[in-house]
Amino acid sequence: SAVIRENFFHAIRPAFGGKLNAPQVAGMNAILDAAVSAGLSDANHVANVLAQVRRETGGYMFPIKETVMPGHKDKNPSDATVIQRLDRAYAAGKLTWVKSPYWRDGWFGRGPIQVTHRANYAKVGRAIGEDLEGDPNLALRPEIGAKIAVIGLRDGLFTGKKLGDYSFPAALDAPPSKNPRRIVNGKDGSDAEVARFHRQFHKALVAAGWDGGAIV
């Protein structure tokens, strides 16, 4: 109900410094909608999606393009700007893990949890029923980005690890090799931060009355 959704935002607002902007609200609403549609009934699973998205978007909670940082006022730079930024970083030796510049044909990261490389756009698109390979910018639509995040974490589309592989909340305190942050990313030093976000979201969901689809 609208009341339950309102209660969720009231409960989570302190975790965002006491106020939420329009993209944050829209992004979280889209994730909750996608969770209901995908049958993601466990409040811990929904909380983990929200927590991972918070880390991946720098708190913006809305789909972004690769290279967009929390301090950037322009949250939707042109594709050319993104490619230029990545080219500069690559030339400076900052992208040591990159074997070939995947972004030059436009296959840079997009979404609340970013999809990169053409093959991954195709794979994730098939999984969520959207032609992301035909139009990668679909990942920037909040409702489609939310499906990427929810179904991606549920089904292990990002790293092969999925929500069902972990026992919550105990897994939040697991060492890096067994931590649920591995669902989205490698050992990036963010395990404790994402665990803290998870607990904040879980507390807010429970306070709002999430019971496996009550937030509709």
Side-chain angles (χ1 to χ4, degrees):
S1 71
V3 173
I4 291 173
R5 198 74 70 112
E6 185 179 330
N7 288 343
F8 166 74
F9 287 115
H10 176 76
I12 199 60
R13 195 170 285 114
F16 285 84
K19 61 182 180 179
L20 295 167
N21 59 35
Q24 288 171 327
V25 171
M28 285 190 274
N29 264 324
I31 290 169
L32 295 174
D33 289 342
V36 171
S37 295
L40 210 63
S41 59
D42 188 325
N44 271 301
H45 289 179
V46 180
N48 201 257
V49 175
L50 289 161
Q52 302 269 14
V53 167
R54 182 168 183 180
R55 168 67 187 184
E56 293 296 297
T57 63
Y60 190 50
M61 303 304 297
F62 200 80
I64 55 173
K65 293 178 179 178
E66 194 170 357
T67 76
V68 172
M69 304 298 285
H72 286 149
K73 288 185 178 178
D74 182 3
K75 299 294 188 184
N76 188 22
S78 69
D79 288 4
T81 296
V82 173
I83 292 167
Q84 192 176 51
R85 286 174 180 169
L86 288 165
D87 274 339
R88 279 201 302 266
Y90 187 61
K94 294 179 180 177
L95 306 178
T96 54
W97 61 91
V98 174
K99 294 176 181 175
S100 62
Y102 57 85
W103 54 85
R104 288 182 180 158
D105 292 326
W107 303 106
F108 54 77
R110 296 174 181 82
I113 292 176
Q114 293 183 15
V115 181
T116 60
H117 296 81
R118 183 172 190 160
N120 289 331
Y121 274 98
K123 179 185 80 169
V124 173
R126 285 193 299 272
I128 69 167
E130 301 285 350
D131 185 13
L132 299 182
E133 187 180 13
D135 182 4
N137 283 318
L138 288 174
L140 296 170
R141 293 187 186 176
E143 72 279 6
I144 294 176
K147 285 167 67 175
I148 292 170
V150 168
I151 295 171
L153 268 81
R154 185 194 69 185
D155 296 351
L157 298 180
F158 303 117
T159 67
K161 302 287 186 183
K162 58 184 183 295
L163 288 165
D165 294 337
Y166 298 89
S167 177
F168 293 100
L172 298 173
D173 298 315
S177 63
K178 297 181 179 179
N179 194 280
R181 174 64 178 152
R182 302 292 80 75
I183 302 169
V184 169
N185 210 352
K187 299 173 185 177
D188 60 357
S190 69
D191 295 7
E193 180 187 37
V194 174
R196 177 166 57 86
F197 294 157
H198 176 118
R199 290 186 170 101
Q200 291 168 341
F201 282 119
H202 183 261
K203 184 178 179 181
L205 287 164
V206 171
W210 177 276
D211 63 1
I215 301 181
V216 295

